[in-house]
Amino acid sequence: MSRSRHQGVRSLVFIVVLAVASVAWVTVAGHRPLLGLDLQGGVSVILAPTEEASSDSLDQAVAIIRQRVDGLGVAEPEITRQGDTIVVQIPGVDDTERALELVGQTAELRFRPVLSVVEEAQLQAIAGASPTTVVPGATTTTSSSGDATTTTTAGSDSSTTTAPGGATTTIDAPSATDEVGFALVEGELAAAQVASTTVPPTTTAPGATTPPTTTTTTTTTAAAGVPTTTAPDGAAPPTTVPPIDADAILAQYELTAPGADEAEATVVLGEYDDDNNLVRRYELGPAGLTGEALESASATLQGTEWTVLPIFRSGAEGIDAFNGLALQCNGQQPTCPTGQLAITLDSRVVSAPSVNAAQFTRDQVVISGSFDEREARDVALVLNYGALPLELEAQQSQIVSATLGSDALAAGLVAGVVGLLLAALYMILYYRLMGVVAVLSLTVSAGLLWALVCWLGETQGLALTLSGITGIIVSIGVSLDTNVVYYEHVKEDVQHGRTVRSALDRAFSPAFSTIVKANVASIIGAGLLYVLSVGSVRGFALFLGIATVLDLVAAWFFMRPMSMLIARSRLAQERPGILGVGRPREAS
């Protein structure tokens, strides 16, 4: 076997094994093409600024909207600038109203003093107890229904309510809600202490002896309705504390609607975990400053601890305003009794650090504590890009139903299959056995394309849209043109007296040169279309370009060696007409 034939067999085996292995790998891994908006349904909206905006402001708005949309948990949102407008396409979103509201909301980053805070679990326990029940931190409490008995331990961290029938509800006192604190970068700082939401901190003067913990029991008799308090022997009778109404507590911590989240108002906002579950509720005072006070923020690893380093602007609107809030919270003044300063965005609490100093310099502030890397970077990102830098309004919005998307997908697949079958039938009828080679080459190229689209969709978020399917269908014709160019060169050589085997070998070089020039022109056109266009046109250009590149790979590694193997076969030697590239001219 000649050296060229060895090389042809190796390249043929390589490309076939690569195609089969690629398809097998994405199948076993469970990767599938990521469908775009027009194939699975979703939301499309075009946003325009209400007034003239700079290019930097629009780019920043795109980054913030992308961050918000990512919070919806959707795959491959497409958020791009189109001139002075922003095009947002969100495929596969379930809550379309929330998505439309989210993308254009001009939320403001605010710093609010924390008046009080309650864990969501505690609030749910209060809601499930009797109307007048135990509230964490209360000295004594009575129940108002039946023969319920409430026992409260003064100075302890929990209370127990016994309802009629013996049912017991235990409510733990609030734990430290946030170990994160504002601190100076330099200098020794005491550990961050978070004030209780309902019990003021107990202060013991130097040299004083801490009195022993005293247990008191309050029992309420339904008939009398008057609480009776029994103190331990020898102890002074404790002060009877009026019962606390659970309904009032629930009303106090009712979440403020986003539309009512005014900067000057006292509001109740929630803090949520990564799964969007409400963790705790904060009662917050009026905003002392906004994100305009910040110059920048970054997340950094200091030792073994992730921290956030904000840098405030100079002057009254920057660090001076922040120091005003810091003084209130560090001293636990009535305007900030908990010592915490909440960072809020989109009517949510992002973080609520305690303030560990009364005075800061603009570039010597650190937010440190129980951050992991992701949390630190998220807080830094919010501080940097928390609010849209401009007001946007929806010029056009469109909701594509999942049913319509499924119909579009089915139509695209049917069009692709029909186009492929018709093109394959034409090639086989015209070029016979060489037509079969063309179809096999197209199959190898399609296998590589399928694996690449699945992999890119899974790892890079590349979405397959209806326009992308159109680009792939068009590429079928481009791929078959490659075979046509080669076979027509072979036919010309055969008509000039060469044998089929000799013509197949000799014609490949000039044919491949023509193929490369034509395909490079297509790739350049697809590249320019991708760069200069937006939306669905880019999908068409991208998939057309990818398929064209794979066509060149299939032509070099599959078409030529496969054609040569068939030309050398006994069947081709005995019946050269079956190859479909003409018969050698008889010698006269």
Side-chain angles (χ1 to χ4, degrees):
M1 188 180 292
S2 65
R3 182 179 178 182
S4 61
R5 187 173 181 183
H6 273 295
Q7 292 176 344
V9 171
R10 283 197 296 267
S11 66
L12 184 62
V13 172
F14 165 75
I15 194 66
V16 171
V17 170
L18 178 62
V20 173
S22 299
V23 173
W25 175 69
V26 296
T27 302
V28 172
H31 298 339
R32 302 185 63 184
L34 180 65
L35 301 182
L37 171 68
D38 49 3
L39 296 181
Q40 65 169 313
V43 176
S44 175
V45 60
I46 299 177
L47 302 171
T50 56
E51 56 187 21
E52 186 176 353
S54 66
S55 179
D56 290 342
S57 296
L58 287 169
D59 289 339
Q60 183 178 343
V62 169
I64 296 171
I65 293 174
R66 182 174 288 110
Q67 178 194 0
R68 293 180 181 179
V69 172
D70 287 342
L72 291 172
V74 298
E76 185 52 22
E78 185 176 349
I79 305 164
T80 56
R81 276 188 57 188
Q82 186 174 352
D84 291 334
T85 62
I86 299 175
V87 180
V88 182
Q89 293 186 336
I90 313 174
V93 64
D94 295 326
D95 192 345
T96 55
E97 292 184 1
R98 180 191 172 200
L100 288 173
E101 178 183 355
L102 184 68
V103 295
Q105 184 178 5
T106 311
E108 188 175 54
L109 179 70
R110 296 168 181 163
F111 292 81
R112 290 179 177 270
V114 178
L115 304 180
S116 62
V117 57
V118 64
E119 300 287 334
E120 182 64 15
Q122 295 171 351
L123 203 63
Q124 294 299 322
I126 293 174
S130 55
T132 305
T133 186
V134 177
V135 175
T139 305
T140 58
T141 306
T142 62
S143 175
S144 63
S145 60
D147 297 325
T149 301
T150 300
T151 302
T152 303
T153 302
S156 68
D157 292 334
S158 64
S159 304
T160 302
T161 299
T162 304
T168 302
T169 301
T170 301
I171 306 172
D172 293 332
S175 59
T177 57
D178 203 332
E179 297 177 2
V180 180
F182 286 100
L184 288 170
V185 172
E186 300 176 348
E188 286 191 23
L189 293 169
Q193 298 293 329
V194 180
S196 169
T197 61
T198 53
V199 182
T202 302
T203 304
T204 303
T209 303
T210 303
T213 300
T214 303
T215 301
T216 62
T217 302
T218 302
T219 305
T220 301
T221 305
V226 179
T228 302
T229 302
T230 303
D233 293 339
T239 303
T240 300
V241 179
I244 299 175
D245 191 351
D247 290 338
I249 297 296
L250 297 176
Q252 176 186 356
Y253 289 102
E254 182 178 357
L255 292 175
T256 302
D261 181 14
E262 301 291 341
E264 301 80 10
T266 298
V267 297
V268 176
L269 304 180
E271 182 179 359
Y272 298 80
D273 60 17
D274 293 338
D275 297 324
N276 204 34
N277 298 316
L278 182 59
V279 177
R280 58 185 64 93
R281 306 187 188 202
Y282 292 84
E283 184 182 15
L284 305 174
L289 71 160
T290 68
E292 294 295 327
L294 281 164
E295 185 174 289
S296 65
S298 60
T300 183
L301 183 63
Q302 295 186 344
T304 59
E305 182 182 57
W306 278 95
T307 61
V308 180
L309 304 178
I311 298 178
F312 287 84
R313 301 183 187 278
S314 303
E317 300 299 325
I319 188 62
D320 293 345
F322 178 77
N323 280 331
L325 285 175
L327 182 64
Q328 299 174 35
C329 293
N330 182 253
Q332 294 185 335
Q333 297 180 11
T335 52
C336 186
T338 64
Q340 291 175 263
L341 186 61
I343 304 169
T344 70
L345 176 70
D346 287 343
S347 300
R348 294 188 176 202
V349 175
V350 177
S351 185
S354 41
V355 180
N356 300 330
Q359 191 77 13
F360 295 85
T361 54
R362 61 181 293 270
D363 57 352
Q364 294 293 306
V365 183
V366 58
I367 306 176
S368 61
S370 56
F371 283 133
D372 57 27
E373 180 179 2
R374 177 182 175 183
E375 291 170 339
R377 293 190 184 281
D378 286 348
V379 172
L381 187 62
V382 166
L383 293 176
N384 271 317
Y385 305 111
L388 289 180
L390 44 85
E391 185 176 353
L392 299 171
E393 62 180 1
Q395 280 190 337
Q396 177 184 345
S397 60
Q398 178 184 9
I399 298 176
V400 180
S401 68
T403 301
L404 184 59
S406 299
D407 292 342
L409 176 60
L413 293 177
V414 169
V417 171
V418 171
L420 177 61
L421 291 177
L422 290 176
L425 181 61
Y426 170 80
M427 292 296 292
I428 293 173
L429 290 176
Y430 193 82
Y431 289 108
R432 302 179 187 179
L433 199 53
M434 289 295 101
V436 175
V437 174
V439 173
L440 292 176
S441 178
L442 184 61
T443 302
V444 169
S445 178
L448 293 173
L449 179 62
W450 173 264
L452 187 60
V453 169
C454 292
W455 179 75
L456 289 175
E458 187 71 22
T459 61
Q460 305 298 320
L462 175 64
L464 178 62
T465 62
L466 188 59
S467 59
I469 292 179
T470 305
I472 293 174
I473 294 173
V474 171
S475 73
I476 294 175
V478 174
S479 298
L480 293 179
D481 279 346
T482 297
N483 296 83
V484 170
V485 170
Y486 179 35
Y487 297 158
E488 289 302 313
H489 272 76
V490 173
K491 289 177 70 173
E492 289 182 3
D493 285 350
V494 170
Q495 290 173 2
H496 286 83
R498 291 185 177 274
T499 64
V500 174
R501 178 175 174 178
S502 175
L504 283 169
D505 191 26
R506 182 181 182 276
F508 184 78
S509 293
F512 191 72
S513 177
T514 304
I515 292 167
V516 169
K517 293 171 183 175
N519 282 3
V520 168
S522 297
I523 293 171
I524 292 174
L528 290 174
L529 194 61
Y530 181 83
V531 172
L532 299 177
S533 63
V534 294
S536 59
V537 180
R538 299 185 74 190
F540 171 83
L542 177 62
F543 284 99
L544 177 59
I546 292 175
T548 303
V549 172
L550 292 178
D551 171 59
L552 285 174
V553 174
W556 179 264
F557 288 98
F558 184 88
M559 182 181 67
R560 179 187 181 184
M562 190 65 182
S563 299
M564 292 302 300
L565 285 177
I566 292 178
R568 292 187 177 100
S569 66
R570 178 178 297 180
L571 179 62
Q573 296 297 326
E574 295 176 353
R575 301 175 59 188
I578 200 174
L579 296 179
V581 290
R583 292 175 176 271
R585 189 169 57 182
E586 298 289 341
S588 55

